[in-house]
Amino acid sequence: MSKRQLSLNLFIYPGGHHEAAWRYQGSAADRILDVSYYQELAQRAEAQKFDAIFFADGPALADNVRYAQRFRFEPITWLAAIAVATKRIGLIATASTTYTEPYNLARLFASLDHLSGGRAGWNIVTTSTAQAAQNFGLPEHPPHHERYERAREYIDVITRLWDSWEDDAVVNDPASGIFADTGKIHPIDHVGKHFRVRGPLNISRTPQGRPVYVQAGSSDDGRAFAARYAEAIFTAHQTLASAQEFYADIKRQARAFDRSPDQVRILPGISPFIASTQAEADLLQDEFNELIQPEYSLTQLRQMIGLDLSGFDLDGPFPRHLIDTGSARGVASRFKLVVDIVDREQPTIRQLVQRLAGARGHWVIAGPPEKIADNIQTWFDNGAADGFNVMPPWLPGGFDIFAEQVVPILRKRGLFRGEYSGTTLRDHFGLSRPQSVFSGSIKAIA
């Protein structure tokens, strides 16, 4: 068995990750509000010893919901229901530092980590969806750099809240009548540009110390933020070379922050179409692409690059000269990814939207199980990934095929566990339990 092991997460998108998945006859489109459907998916992933399941989220309704299943349930609530139906698998939820408050979010995730026995992870996002601002009483969406400035202060506040109870602050001794050692419970007394929070949190330190910090931005600001704070990084890459550059840069920046690169897990997304032969896998992908609705696809593209192509010939060349690389969007990671595809492949508009339809810019690959496993191993062995977010094109069948046909190959090669060796998400990712920032502190509540 190889000492270094892959991490594998199941990224659950309601009907699947291809934009037309909900129209595919094998999808469970009628169950997307049935919590037992998600409990079953988590149980299947746990049976395969996956590190975690992951739910994305956003605080606004997508403007192309007419053509796809694009509403979102609140993920921490959903994961609490999944926690009681599982025992070991990690539970990662997205929450925005722009549109939540640290104290409330600290309570939510601390509760999830306690009730799950230490399996919570927080995917930290600053939110790129401009229309969210009007849902929260703001006149406009804060610019990119301001969102990251707020996020850095947010992390400082929420970390101190999760650490405000030292590990042994709970005495719970009926004989003496002492429940908690108040000398080990600390106010945080934070006063900053964006937040004023006294603390302490009203719940004790969690089994993991604090939830695992996950981050998903790949812009320059996102990379610096991830290298400083994140313990797992979700990222999108189309090529081995791009993934290698990102991987090396994050590990280098982590060292610059005096962090061990081994304590930062880099997990690109992979969305595999799997069949017995290459020809059959290609036909399967074509079957999904034939279900694409151009109105939806062009809206997705406009959101990524700010270019409305609704009046253009889909089979004509992509009008590269119309992309405004100097706009505020130009710093966003998904914008850069799309521009790279256009520059590298010079696709037609239809070819580009088909590329993006599979998983919104994540790596889509079609082929037999051995090919999928070979590519996973190549990225893993050659400095491009510590594991992957598995993004099935459709659910549940797309995951079942991966689990039944690809995972056994990875196990046979010694790349993926056969059993869990620990009980927490930190255990699965090989992450150490963080020491409280208040360890040794003498300041406590009165």
Side-chain angles (χ1 to χ4, degrees):
M1 183 70 73
S2 171
K3 181 178 179 181
R4 181 169 173 256
Q5 294 279 289
L6 279 163
S7 290
L8 294 177
N9 301 328
L10 171 57
F11 182 171
I12 299 178
Y13 214 65
H17 285 272
H18 192 282
E19 67 182 44
W22 70 285
R23 303 184 67 199
Y24 182 64
Q25 61 180 359
S27 76
D30 59 334
R31 297 188 66 193
I32 64 167
L33 287 178
D34 178 358
V35 70
S36 68
Y37 166 59
Y38 300 94
Q39 290 172 326
E40 291 164 13
L41 286 170
Q43 289 167 344
R44 294 182 197 193
E46 185 172 68
Q48 293 296 327
K49 315 307 175 187
F50 269 44
D51 294 61
I53 60 169
F54 165 53
F55 281 100
D57 191 32
L61 179 66
D63 57 11
N64 49 12
V65 70
R66 176 181 175 89
Y67 300 106
Q69 295 175 327
R70 290 299 306 277
F71 55 78
R72 299 282 177 83
F73 38 75
E74 195 287 305
I76 302 174
T77 303
W78 224 244
L79 285 172
I82 291 171
V84 299
T86 55
K87 295 181 179 179
R88 292 286 191 90
I89 197 162
L91 308 166
I92 302 173
T94 297
S96 172
T97 58
T98 305
Y99 296 109
T100 61
E101 290 294 321
Y103 197 90
N104 283 339
L105 197 67
R107 296 183 67 214
L108 288 167
F109 271 108
S111 298
L112 179 62
D113 205 47
H114 274 294
L115 72 86
S116 67
R119 295 187 280 141
W122 172 30
N123 180 40
I124 306 162
V125 299
T126 64
T127 300
S128 60
T129 307
Q131 59 263 41
Q134 297 178 24
N135 293 335
F136 294 86
L138 298 181
E140 61 183 7
H141 190 51
H144 188 272
H145 71 279
E146 288 185 13
R147 299 199 308 273
Y148 273 96
E149 177 188 74
R150 175 184 164 102
R152 287 187 288 270
E153 185 178 341
Y154 197 114
I155 291 292
D156 181 51
V157 173
I158 204 168
T159 296
R160 288 176 174 273
L161 286 171
W162 280 324
D163 287 356
S164 59
W165 289 60
E166 295 184 39
D167 286 320
D168 56 351
V170 177
V171 178
N172 201 20
D173 181 14
S176 68
I178 301 298
F179 176 71
D181 181 349
T182 53
K184 296 181 178 181
I185 305 172
H186 306 274
I188 71 169
D189 291 327
H190 177 88
V191 179
K193 180 178 179 179
H194 300 279
F195 306 107
R196 296 175 64 94
V197 182
R198 181 182 183 274
L201 199 62
N202 56 359
I203 188 171
S204 61
R205 200 160 192 248
T206 74
Q208 296 188 106
R210 61 186 83 117
V212 173
Y213 290 174
V214 183
Q215 199 267 350
S218 297
S219 65
D220 289 343
D221 283 339
R223 290 188 187 206
F225 185 89
R228 183 174 181 180
Y229 300 109
E231 297 167 295
I233 300 172
F234 298 161
T235 184
H237 297 280
Q238 293 284 321
T239 67
L240 174 63
S242 171
Q244 288 172 320
E245 184 277 327
F246 178 85
Y247 186 98
D249 183 50
I250 292 293
K251 302 285 185 172
R252 176 189 60 78
Q253 290 195 52
R255 290 187 191 96
F257 285 113
D258 286 331
R259 300 185 63 202
S260 168
D262 293 337
Q263 293 294 296
V264 183
R265 305 288 285 175
I266 297 178
L267 309 170
I270 181 172
S271 187
F273 288 89
I274 306 166
S276 299
T277 67
Q278 184 65 52
E280 291 174 353
D282 290 339
L283 285 173
L284 178 62
Q285 186 173 7
D286 289 344
E287 186 176 352
F288 275 80
N289 285 339
E290 288 171 2
L291 297 174
I292 288 174
Q293 299 177 91
E295 295 89 346
Y296 178 91
S297 303
L298 294 176
T299 301
Q300 286 281 88
L301 187 59
R302 176 175 53 78
Q303 291 171 345
M304 291 181 181
I305 63 174
L307 188 60
D308 185 358
L309 299 176
S310 56
F312 286 69
D313 178 7
L314 290 179
D315 294 310
F318 185 90
R320 171 66 172 83
H321 63 285
L322 296 180
I323 298 178
D324 182 7
T325 55
S327 69
R329 238 187 210 96
V331 300
S333 56
R334 207 52 58 92
F335 178 98
K336 294 178 179 178
L337 183 147
V338 174
V339 172
D340 285 347
I341 294 174
V342 172
D343 289 343
R344 185 174 61 249
E345 301 177 15
Q346 299 182 345
T348 65
I349 296 172
R350 188 185 305 277
Q351 288 169 338
L352 179 62
V353 298
Q354 287 179 345
R355 283 291 304 275
L356 298 175
R360 306 171 305 285
H362 287 274
W363 182 28
V364 178
I365 181 172
E370 288 281 350
K371 175 183 174 180
I372 308 303
D374 288 346
N375 277 269
I376 287 173
Q377 182 168 3
T378 295
W379 284 41
F380 182 63
D381 287 343
N382 290 278
D386 294 311
F388 290 87
N389 266 338
V390 180
M391 304 169 63
W394 81 102
L395 288 169
F399 174 72
D400 291 339
I401 294 171
F402 183 88
E404 294 165 6
Q405 299 185 23
V406 178
V407 171
I409 298 172
L410 299 174
R411 285 207 179 98
K412 185 176 180 180
R413 297 179 184 182
L415 297 172
F416 187 62
R417 68 172 70 88
E419 293 293 338
Y420 289 115
S421 59
T423 60
T424 71
L425 180 55
R426 290 186 177 279
D427 291 336
H428 304 340
F429 279 162
L431 301 172
S432 59
R433 189 176 186 275
Q435 186 176 22
S436 169
V437 298
F438 289 104
S439 295
S441 173
I442 60 173
K443 184 179 180 183
I445 64 174

